[in-house]
Amino acid sequence: MAEEKQSYRCKFQNDEWSRMGGILMETQSESSQPRQAIPSVSVTYATTGRDQAPNEMGMRAMQERAYEKRGEQYLLIKSPPASGKSRALMFIALDKLQNQGVEQAIVVVPEKSIGSSFNDEPLSKFGFWADWVVQPHWNLCNAPGGDDGKVGAVGKFLSSADKVLVCTHASFRFAVDKFGIEAFDGRLIAVDEFHHVSANPENKLGAHLGALVARDKVHVVAMTGSYFRGDAAAVLSPEDEAKFDTVTYTYYEQLNGYKYLKTLDIGYFFYSGSYADDILKVLDPNEKTILHIPNVNSRESTKDKHREVEHIIDALGDWQGADPVTGFQLVKTPEGRVLRIADLVDDEAAKRDRVSAALKDPAQKNNRNHVDIIIALGMAKEGFDWIWCEHALTVGYRASLTEIVQIIGRATRDAVGKTTARFTNLIAEPDASAENVTEAVNDTLKAIAASLLMEQVLAPRFNFTPKSPKSGPVEGFDYGEDGYDPTKTNVGFNETSGQFQIEIKGLVEPKSKEAKRICQEDLNEVITAFVQDKTTIERGLFDEELVPEELTQVRMGKIVAAKFPELAAEDQEAIRQHAVAALNLTQKAKEIAVTSKDDSQASGNTALIDGVRKFAMDVRELDIDLIDRINPFGEAYAILAKSMSEESLKQVAVIISAKKVQLSPEEARDLARRAVKFQQERGRLPSILSPDPWEKKMAEGVAYLVRMKQEAANV
């Protein structure tokens, strides 16, 4: 027994025993199948041109919608990147300054580069009754701030007769600290990229806004492309959020209303080894591309960012030197074409600033040939405007779903001749030889969460209604060739608004005004919380014994209750049912669209729309029980299986299964000792996926001890 115990200790202390893949599975050779970028989302839009057609005052669709609510004291604008939030704020702020008794407008942006979005605009040229003008010394993103610094400049502005100031979040926070919230009475505070705010008391900007709203003597316009945070923390407290009137403009409305961009693909590419060796499998030199290399502290990084850039440039062709004016790297491809590559990774400030200035040159905004590829690390994300970008290529999973939405937004600008855009995320796939397999699996699960979220964000808006004897057709909705049938559940689509009207038997209707608004406008926030819940994703994908209702009813119910504690239980249940229906319908529709062999029935809208209608119309009675019974992660599993080797997929399942093991430490140690003996006798470790229950039990014991050791190390 002593000999066996010593053998166990040696094995446990060996590095291989601290690696999940090495403990739980035999290392097998890599799959011989070539890895491919598999689009997990591919959506085609109608390109109606509606989003780009201004009204008589020069407002696009979203801006007109926001301007209609210009009289609200607290206004939250939720719309995608490139939808025109900056100009919408200009229209609203000018009205508040001229007609609503507001003394001054302070525009707050997260970083200096975004301040240029609020430069002077000749709005009267396009039909509005005033121009947007910011005195140069009051745009603190460009101006030095004077002798008292930028915080002192804010103080001078507050006592001046001028009307508009632009500053960073940081300058605003420090100004509130210095002058107090009372100094801002009677002003409009406009916060761009509002998802930087958090209800967490440690978030200073959130705390200041909470105090300003509580004092109730300011106007606030909050703008964001994604009203959720990567850390799953609430942006506003429920009490503060209830004071805001909301304007929601969806990704679907924006893209469907474009004039040129018709198709958006979002895919995940799993690689092994160094990403730089696989980069040209997904980087097409013929596409205008923003390439974000991994953070130097991430698992995907080689720890030498400059060498990574050199490797990428070398893979693209022969370096021809740098353009003396722009600083762009010139690279000649094997086909003889010279690529213009902007390197924003360079640490030499003078070089990087010259490249950055060249990218922002307003004279080149509409010049498609100005630059071909932009390589960045922390730059070229939110607020970066390059309309020609066709491919946003990101290496390494970004911890924030918000950041992914922002990066995708770099490619979703409408431009002449640009019909297709795509986002690709390269992620290191789990490998038995990896230093930290659990980290790789975690990244994979996050990628699935991002995919699920984007599928929902890119889909049309759902308007669910209970099926009853009094149900009837809604004006403006197309119910298909046979029209509305009162004997069945019906699905209608309004091409102008991009909305589905879907009847569901047994659906609970929201009662309060706020619950109705959430069901109509904010289901994506509920779904985001659901797919950011790591335990939910793990169980949904890999727990074969899982009953779907455990996720769709119990887990989703808890998430809704935590997110909207002020609502009545009946309203919480209504929101839960609407969110589950939206998530499952999108997943099922995508599955139908991907697997359908019959393209003859494809309409002028999208395959996703046809998939929703086909699924809803093919079932005899679409009801809430049916929707609850569908596993919302089933299609995500299919995408994961397509994108990864069989071996990698097994490792994911192994690690997830190991987390479900419930043993006492004494039982685990005994099983681990027996696992050591098993290895000595058979030359391999026991597998947690083995059909032999005893072998599986031994592997579970080892997995439990390893997990306990890792948790102890993290304390």
Side-chain angles (χ1 to χ4, degrees), residues 602-629:
S603 71
N605 299 315
T606 75
L608 188 65
I609 291 172
D610 294 333
V612 171
R613 182 178 286 128
K614 181 172 171 46
F615 168 64
M617 299 295 274
D618 276 1
V619 295
R620 187 168 297 175
E621 283 292 339
L622 183 64
D623 58 39
I624 207 69
D625 288 333
L626 171 69
I627 290 172
D628 273 342
R629 280 198 298 271

Side-chain angles (χ1 to χ4, degrees), residues 103-134:
E103 296 177 32
Q104 294 176 313
I106 300 174
V107 182
V108 186
V109 299
E111 58 183 71
K112 291 192 294 184
S113 63
I114 300 178
S116 60
S117 299
F118 298 94
N119 287 342
D120 292 0
E121 285 290 348
L123 302 178
S124 61
K125 180 180 176 181
F126 308 102
F128 196 61
W129 46 264
D131 291 328
W132 175 259
V133 179
V134 183

